[in-house]
Amino acid sequence: MRLRISCVIGGLFGVILSVFLLLLQSHFVVAASDTVVYDKAQKAQSGFLAILETLVNIDSATGDQQGLTQVENLVIEQLKSVDADVKTIDATPSAGRNILATIQGTGKRKILLLAHTDTVFDKEKAAQHPFKIVDGKAYGLGVMDDKGGILLGIEALKILRELNFQEFGTITFLINPDEEKGSLGSRELIKETAKKHDIALVLEFGSPEDKVTSWRKGIGYYGLEVKGRAAHAGAEPEKGCNALLEAAFQTLQLRNLGDRNKQTTVNFTVFQAGDRRNIIPDSAKVQADVRVLQAQEYTRLERDFTRLSQNKLLPCTEIKVISERGRPPFPPNAKTDALVKKAQAIYQTIGLKLGVEGSGGGTDGNYAASVGTSTLDALGPVGGGAHSPDEYINLDRIAPRIYLLTKLLMDLGSAN
């Protein structure tokens, strides 16, 4: 009996030991794989910076056809170097082209990468603020928003090619030329493409604290146009109907339409009225920046703008309400939270902590999320000073971010 029990215990111990050894072996295989990927990410940094310098020193403001074409051609050349099938689609009414690059794998998961070639900086500004590296930071106009994001995506694709990793279904890289002004010539293409993919990874910049973005507010363009009646301000002002005064009154009564509990903000930012000191202004225009996290807030604000504007200071004026919906909201959701956890786990393998935040600023990730595609934003380079002459990326986070994106493509692409 004792012998039989000993045999059973011995057999169980053997099974447990075998399972333990298999798990241990699996761990070392994964760890080795991670080391190879990170080593390649580190080696990619010098090439990344060399190409980034070339791109950053080219002006490519939204609408700058010549500059956008130069940047697009260089990006297309890089995408073809990883054997991507590249096609371009006109971005009318915007200048430039939408670049759609596709790589086919042997798996099933379809992943969309999003980035953009345009910047907010006017023509000839790049020469005034050329690419430079100072104290562990690379500076330049568009260095992180979003030329660094484009190249980070390309470097990740290069590593997949070097590893001969093909266990994804499809990786599509969509790069548009008009993100900084609402993506008018690309938003429909983004939404239609996102619908065909399981996951969207947005290569906008990560904050200086090294965070990704799990939600973003939608953007609305609201305001008023006021029509009055002109008159001489000194000789017969009583014959006029002052559109400026009515616009000011309306601004004051509409300014509190935001809702802090719903994170809805209404900020009046532009006021236009009159062009001569001695004339009662017969027209005025007021514009407000609106941000919402819940789509139904657009409808509520449209209703409240119309209702409250009927209460006038001057009955002689006519008021037209302006309400235009821009990017839809990208609210917090479980699918994005799962992607955040995956990204954080990957970052931990190289001893780094990945933060997460939400943002009042919108990106093309808003469009991808709006059609139900699992979306994670701010996977580009880490830096600061966005939209300013002091825009920069941190050199010590280039390789980690290339590694993070590469591993996300591998892990998400090969998942069932």
Side-chain angles (χ1 to χ4, degrees):
M1 185 69 174
R2 290 180 179 176
L3 181 61
R4 188 174 298 172
I5 292 172
S6 298
C7 289
V8 170
I9 292 172
L12 286 172
F13 178 77
V15 170
I16 293 170
L17 181 61
S18 298
V19 171
F20 174 76
L21 290 173
L22 284 171
L23 289 173
L24 190 63
Q25 182 182 15
S26 173
H27 170 77
F28 283 126
V29 169
V30 172
S33 173
D34 291 346
T35 301
V36 170
V37 174
Y38 191 54
D39 181 59
K40 289 185 176 296
Q42 290 176 308
K43 291 178 179 177
Q45 181 165 323
S46 59
F48 169 92
L49 288 170
I51 303 170
L52 183 60
E53 179 175 5
T54 301
L55 290 183
V56 166
N57 287 338
I58 300 172
D59 292 300
S60 61
T62 315
D64 180 358
Q65 181 72 60
Q66 180 180 359
L68 287 167
T69 299
Q70 285 182 267
V71 172
E72 288 160 4
N73 288 343
L74 287 169
V75 170
I76 289 170
E77 181 182 337
Q78 289 294 312
L79 288 167
K80 287 183 176 179
S81 74
V82 295
D83 296 331
D85 178 27
V86 182
K87 65 178 181 179
T88 58
I89 301 169
D90 190 70
T92 304
S94 303
R97 297 167 289 174
N98 293 304
I99 300 170
L100 202 61
T102 305
I103 300 175
Q104 298 293 342
T106 58
K108 294 182 179 180
R109 297 294 289 280
K110 297 180 179 180
I111 301 175
L112 174 64
L113 301 177
L114 292 172
H116 61 93
T117 51
D118 62 320
T119 73
V120 299
F121 303 101
D122 294 335
K123 200 167 185 177
E124 298 181 0
K125 291 293 184 181
Q128 299 173 24
H129 303 279
F131 180 89
K132 63 181 180 180
I133 294 177
V134 180
D135 296 332
K137 297 176 181 178
Y139 292 84
L141 306 186
V143 70
M144 73 171 185
D145 187 16
D146 187 32
K147 293 174 180 178
I150 294 172
L151 292 181
L152 195 144
I154 291 172
E155 292 300 334
L157 296 178
K158 287 179 180 179
I159 292 174
L160 294 186
R161 186 172 181 270
E162 290 172 10
L163 295 173
N164 195 30
F165 182 88
Q166 301 178 8
E167 295 175 26
F168 51 87
T170 304
I171 295 176
T172 302
F173 201 166
L174 174 50
I175 305 167
N176 62 329
D178 56 355
E179 189 273 347
E180 296 292 0
K181 290 194 175 180
S183 306
L184 296 181
S186 56
R187 61 175 65 168
E188 293 305 318
L189 176 63
I190 292 168
K191 289 190 285 187
E192 288 303 313
T193 306
K195 286 178 184 177
K196 300 173 184 176
H197 290 73
D198 302 299
I199 296 164
L201 303 177
V202 187
L203 305 185
E204 290 286 348
F205 59 90
S207 68
E209 296 80 21
D210 203 353
K211 297 179 180 179
V212 291
T213 302
S214 63
W215 59 263
R216 290 186 182 273
K217 291 184 180 181
I219 304 171
Y221 310 103
Y222 286 60
L224 299 166
E225 292 179 351
V226 181
K227 184 178 180 181
R229 185 170 58 252
H232 194 290
E236 46 188 10
E238 69 281 357
K239 292 185 178 180
C241 183
N242 198 319
L244 184 154
L245 288 180
E246 184 62 45
F249 173 77
Q250 294 295 334
T251 299
L252 290 174
Q253 74 169 350
L254 296 172
R255 74 187 190 280
N256 294 322
L257 284 178
D259 187 328
R260 181 174 295 181
N261 292 331
K262 295 180 179 178
Q263 298 196 48
T264 299
T265 59
V266 177
N267 289 297
F268 285 90
T269 53
V270 178
F271 194 111
Q272 299 166 308
D275 58 5
R276 295 189 182 183
R277 188 185 68 255
N278 61 348
I279 298 178
I280 300 296
D282 63 354
S283 66
K285 184 175 182 180
V286 182
Q287 298 178 53
D289 177 277
V290 168
R291 306 285 165 141
V292 303
L293 198 55
Q294 301 176 19
Q296 58 267 34
E297 280 290 273
Y298 283 134
T299 303
R300 196 265 300 176
L301 287 170
E302 289 161 6
R303 183 182 65 246
D304 287 352
F305 262 71
T306 299
R307 176 178 57 83
L308 287 175
S309 64
Q310 292 173 2
N311 176 39
K312 299 180 183 179
L313 174 69
L314 302 174
C316 58
T317 57
E318 297 177 13
I319 298 175
K320 177 184 176 182
V321 172
I322 303 168
S323 61
E324 180 184 347
R325 301 184 186 191
R327 286 190 173 89
F330 166 15
N333 64 90
K335 292 190 292 185
T336 295
D337 290 344
L339 291 175
V340 170
K341 290 180 180 178
K342 166 60 77 175
Q344 290 175 326
I346 290 172
Y347 231 38
Q348 286 177 353
T349 64
I350 53 174
L352 296 176
K353 182 178 180 180
L354 184 67
V356 59
E357 64 184 355
S359 174
T363 70
D364 289 331
N366 292 54
Y367 294 124
S370 73
V371 298
T373 304
S374 301
T375 304
L376 182 58
D377 206 335
L379 286 163
V382 174
H387 294 191
S388 82
D390 297 321
E391 186 172 318
Y392 70 88
I393 60 173
N394 291 317
L395 298 184
D396 65 355
R397 285 296 184 270
I398 294 174
R401 282 293 180 123
I402 293 174
Y403 170 79
L404 173 60
L405 181 60
T406 305
K407 284 293 293 178
L408 277 171
L409 291 172
M410 295 173 73
D411 292 357
L412 296 173
S414 60
N416 292 324

